[in-house]
Amino acid sequence: MTTADNDPRPEPSGISVRRGDPLVVITDVQKHYGDFQALKDIDLTVNRGEVVVVIGPSGSGKSTLCRTINRLETITSGTITIDGKKLPEEGRALAALRADVGMVFQSFNLFSHLTILDNVTLGPIKVRKLSRADAETRAKALLDRVGVGQQAAKLPAQLSGGQQQRVAIARALAMDPKVMLFDEPTSALDPEMINEVLDVMVGLAQEGMTMIVVTHEMGFARKAADRVVFMADGQIVEEATPDEFFTNPRSSRAKDFLSKLITH
């Protein structure tokens, strides 16, 4: 691993900045739902080309944090910037920023009435203003890349859950995003389908895609993450490299969490 020449500052955990300059910067973010505080004092920097895996018990704020990064969830206070630009409130500026932030959800969210090819080309044509021919060429290449190129003419319901999730990844990639957000991308899948999705994600990580991944898949965290962020009760409790976190967690909350995991 190399430390970026232009920004050698350590992360709060003491981990050296990896690869590139800061791309996603979250500063003093708070999120309330009425009297309930879902996110507390969140400070996190994700650098260009870095893979950050966010883990923690259910209800710890992981998905809420992920969804604030493209403003699917609004924040109560604090700031979030992507590539130096503050998250817009609404309108065209927000739509343009969301085009730079690919998101893959638990439940695929494909348009059921559109073919697989049309699902992947819709964003590039409507938002990026690509011609249909260019969008289809790119979409076919991406569908091949994630292993579902033969399914392009089918409807989502004709595909397995694992295939649909790989289409969802291709659809996000078709927008040529600066960062990819994954919110529990394998939690709705049957066990035999999980690896086919994780393999695609590992490939993206190895190619240098900036990724923020909320997941319960500890094997993926060990294999692909540059940094593990552990959350509990709406707070970031600790950050470490995968090796450090899984072999020598510092906090009692992390130790307790890891002790309860079923080792696969």
Side-chain angles (χ1 to χ4, degrees):
M1 292 199 296
T2 58
T3 301
D5 295 330
N6 57 344
D7 194 353
R9 295 171 298 172
E11 290 296 320
S13 58
I15 305 166
S16 295
V17 169
R18 185 184 189 274
R19 292 185 183 164
D21 54 324
L23 181 62
V24 179
V25 180
I26 301 168
T27 307
D28 195 26
V29 161
Q30 321 288 334
K31 168 66 178 176
H32 290 84
Y33 295 101
D35 293 334
F36 175 70
Q37 188 166 2
L39 296 176
K40 305 170 187 173
D41 309 317
I42 300 293
D43 289 295
L44 180 67
T45 297
V46 179
N47 301 289
R48 206 176 303 272
E50 189 179 23
V51 179
V52 172
V53 172
V54 184
I55 64 174
S58 296
S60 60
K62 307 182 301 294
S63 290
T64 302
L65 175 60
C66 189
R67 292 167 67 87
T68 63
I69 295 171
N70 67 352
R71 216 172 181 277
L72 285 173
E73 293 280 1
T74 58
I75 58 176
T76 305
S77 62
T79 60
I80 300 175
T81 62
I82 296 174
D83 209 7
K85 296 178 182 176
K86 192 174 176 181
L87 280 186
E89 293 293 314
E90 56 190 14
R92 287 185 178 178
L94 180 59
L97 181 129
R98 280 184 175 153
D100 288 336
V101 183
M103 182 133 191
V104 179
F105 301 88
Q106 294 182 27
S107 54
F108 324 141
N109 288 14
L110 300 176
F111 292 109
S112 61
H113 64 292
L114 296 180
T115 66
I116 295 308
L117 184 64
D118 287 343
N119 263 280
V120 179
T121 59
L122 185 64
I125 292 170
K126 296 284 189 183
V127 180
R128 296 294 195 201
K129 306 302 181 186
L130 263 65
S131 69
R132 178 167 294 279
D134 287 346
E136 288 190 353
T137 297
R138 177 160 170 74
K140 287 174 182 175
L142 287 168
L143 290 169
D144 283 340
R145 177 178 172 185
V146 300
V148 290
Q150 300 300 311
Q151 316 297 330
K154 293 182 179 178
L155 294 172
Q158 296 174 279
L159 274 61
S160 71
Q163 289 172 323
Q164 289 187 61
Q165 193 61 296
R166 285 184 280 158
V167 172
I169 294 172
R171 179 181 60 180
L173 291 173
M175 296 296 286
D176 196 23
K178 293 177 179 178
V179 57
M180 287 278 284
L181 308 177
F182 293 85
D183 184 13
E184 299 279 12
T186 60
S187 64
L189 300 178
D190 292 332
E192 66 269 21
M193 297 177 186
I194 290 174
N195 282 340
E196 64 188 48
V197 173
L198 293 178
D199 285 347
V200 171
M201 293 169 62
V202 168
L204 287 176
Q206 290 171 342
E207 291 167 21
M209 172 61 73
T210 309
M211 297 165 61
I212 301 171
V213 184
V214 174
T215 186
H216 290 292
E217 298 295 332
M218 298 303 139
F220 174 82
R222 285 178 179 271
K223 186 173 186 179
D226 296 306
R227 184 162 29 127
V228 172
V229 171
F230 176 73
M231 291 186 68
D233 301 322
Q235 294 177 296
I236 293 176
V237 177
E238 67 179 277
E239 301 176 52
T241 64
D243 187 52
E244 289 170 339
F245 180 78
F246 288 109
T247 58
N248 189 29
R250 297 190 304 276
S251 66
S252 58
R253 290 300 306 267
K255 289 174 184 174
D256 182 57
F257 175 76
L258 289 172
S259 73
K260 292 175 180 175
L261 289 178
I262 298 171
T263 305
H264 293 288

